[in-house]
Amino acid sequence: MTIDLARVDAIVARVGKDASKAIPILQAVQEELRYVPLEAIERIAATTEMTESQLFGVATFYAQFRLKPVGERLVRVCHGTACHVGGAVGISEAMEARLGVKDGENTPDLRYTLESVACVGCCSLAPVVMVDKRTFGKLDRKKAAQIIDDLEAGKGGAR
């Protein structure tokens, strides 16, 4: 995948070049590209006061940063205690079957990324799936797969 480094340059120009801007720059790059590619880190280092190792350290320290491409939609299946008791394993299996990918993978068209997470903080709705910023609760396998069907049909915009 070729990265448009002009987009990275524009972010640096807008956010700033000193070391205090590392997190905002990486956040902006991730917002723009949906992840922080190594090429972007190299370009940021070349055009700011920060080194590649400093930027890589920040990007790997914070869980919010992704160093691999993610799908247009992020599907997170909660596996916290309440969700686990409520059937999170089955929800993950249903999502894997519906999307045709395993946990942690992207669909080949990069429309979806599926991942298990420790807790999304909605225990009263367990079991829970989040798609982007929208939460779906009190799910079973069928309802979980239906979320993707609805998204594909243009219903239930999850953003």
Side-chain angles (χ1 to χ4, degrees):
M1 180 181 296
T2 303
I3 305 302
D4 182 359
L5 294 175
R7 294 164 72 185
V8 175
D9 292 344
I11 289 168
V12 170
R14 186 181 74 240
V15 177
K17 295 185 176 193
D18 64 89
S20 70
K21 305 296 184 193
I23 291 174
I25 290 171
L26 293 173
Q27 288 172 326
V29 166
Q30 183 164 281
E31 178 73 23
E32 179 89 12
L33 304 174
R34 297 194 327 253
Y35 76 112
V36 181
L38 182 58
E39 295 88 345
I41 289 175
E42 293 169 347
R43 183 61 162 229
I44 295 165
T47 58
T48 67
E49 301 168 1
M50 297 170 270
T51 65
E52 289 177 30
S53 63
Q54 288 172 317
L55 291 161
F56 193 74
V58 171
T60 56
F61 179 80
Y62 294 102
Q64 68 176 297
F65 294 115
R66 299 177 177 278
L67 300 177
K68 295 191 302 189
V70 294
E72 295 170 29
R73 294 189 179 257
L74 181 58
V75 179
R76 288 180 262 171
V77 180
C78 182
H79 281 257
T81 302
C83 289
H84 179 76
V85 171
V89 172
I91 301 296
S92 282
E93 290 171 353
M95 286 301 205
E96 287 177 350
R98 175 59 186 86
L99 294 171
V101 296
K102 295 289 185 190
D103 182 31
E105 294 180 346
N106 299 320
T107 57
D109 61 2
L110 278 179
R111 289 205 16 95
Y112 297 94
T113 297
L114 177 63
E115 68 178 19
S116 294
V117 295
C119 184
V120 297
C122 300
C123 299
S124 64
L125 299 175
V128 171
V129 168
M130 288 188 71
V131 180
D132 302 324
K133 294 180 180 177
R134 186 167 174 199
T135 304
F136 299 86
K138 301 199 181 290
L139 299 174
D140 57 25
R141 290 172 180 252
K142 185 176 178 181
K143 289 178 184 175
Q146 186 65 44
I147 293 168
I148 303 302
D149 292 340
D150 289 348
L151 289 171
E152 289 297 303
K155 298 184 284 185
R159 298 197 185 260

